[in-house]
Amino acid sequence: GPAACEEWLPMWMSARQSYPYFVAQALNAEHRVLALSGYGISWDSEHTLGRAMPLIYDRVCGVLHSPSAIARGAQDAYDFYWQPDVVLINLGTNDNGGVGKLPPNEQPAAKEKLETDALDFLQNVRRRNPRALILWAYGMYGDGLRSVIENAISRFSDERIHYIALPDT
């Protein structure tokens, strides 16, 4: 779509004009992308529970629940037959927006939940991708949850999982 259009409309979004695509092209690498605008580790940018990538990671088209989509394979377990060399996770920005909508006295408990959910997600990603280098990239739109994500990585204590601080854009 036109450069001036900044609304989050799917018909204006394209996987061909995205950082994952450009990086894969530069590295001459095959890539797969699981993405859904607004979703996070535990909730979305409005703090809506259930709108989280870990909940759909193991499913084919995990957000589709209509009978016709299910008849075509949505909600089937993904078999993870394709094993990547690297898994890049870029989650946290939407969660941080959700935390910011909470009263200050509720934010510490929300961050604890986020850390636990991030750790659980890392364990699942490792289980599904046993040989992959796992990189968690975060910070393009602030880094208010950096310590939460770093703590989850540290608690998992896997030498093949690393945090990458992205520049704030």
Side-chain angles (χ1 to χ4, degrees):
C5 294
E6 296 178 2
E7 292 91 357
W8 294 101
L9 299 175
M11 73 270 297
W12 291 352
M13 295 180 181
S14 169
R16 302 273 299 179
Q17 295 295 319
S18 65
Y19 287 110
Y21 177 80
F22 294 140
V23 169
Q25 292 298 305
L27 297 174
N28 194 28
E30 182 179 355
H31 73 290
R32 312 274 168 99
V33 177
L34 175 63
L36 190 57
S37 180
Y39 273 47
I41 304 162
S42 299
W43 46 72
D44 64 8
S45 59
E46 298 298 318
H47 196 71
T48 307
L49 291 171
R51 293 178 50 91
M53 294 304 290
L55 299 176
I56 62 172
Y57 182 71
D58 295 329
R59 301 277 160 209
V60 174
C61 298
V63 297
L64 301 179
H65 297 280
S66 72
S68 64
I70 290 171
R72 293 189 315 269
Q75 295 299 320
D76 287 356
Y78 183 69
D79 62 14
F80 292 89
Y81 67 93
W82 181 75
Q83 287 292 299
D85 296 318
V86 178
V87 172
L88 176 65
I89 300 168
N90 184 355
L91 290 174
T93 300
N94 293 317
D95 298 277
N96 192 50
V99 168
K101 293 189 182 335
L102 297 174
N105 65 321
E106 294 180 23
Q107 292 180 10
K111 289 180 179 181
E112 286 180 30
K113 176 179 175 29
L114 275 165
E115 185 176 322
T116 299
D117 290 350
L119 175 60
D120 291 346
F121 186 48
L122 285 170
Q123 291 169 337
N124 189 30
V125 170
R126 170 55 72 219
R127 185 171 43 257
R128 304 301 189 177
N129 306 280
R131 296 183 310 274
L133 174 67
I134 300 172
L135 304 173
W136 195 309
Y138 173 71
M140 286 181 64
Y141 195 65
D143 66 352
L145 296 179
R146 179 179 182 156
S147 63
V148 170
I149 295 167
E150 287 181 321
N151 288 345
I153 291 169
S154 176
R155 285 175 56 194
F156 191 46
S157 65
D158 180 321
E159 292 182 7
R160 294 191 39 83
I161 299 177
H162 303 282
Y163 178 86
I164 298 174
L166 298 174
D168 192 341
T169 59

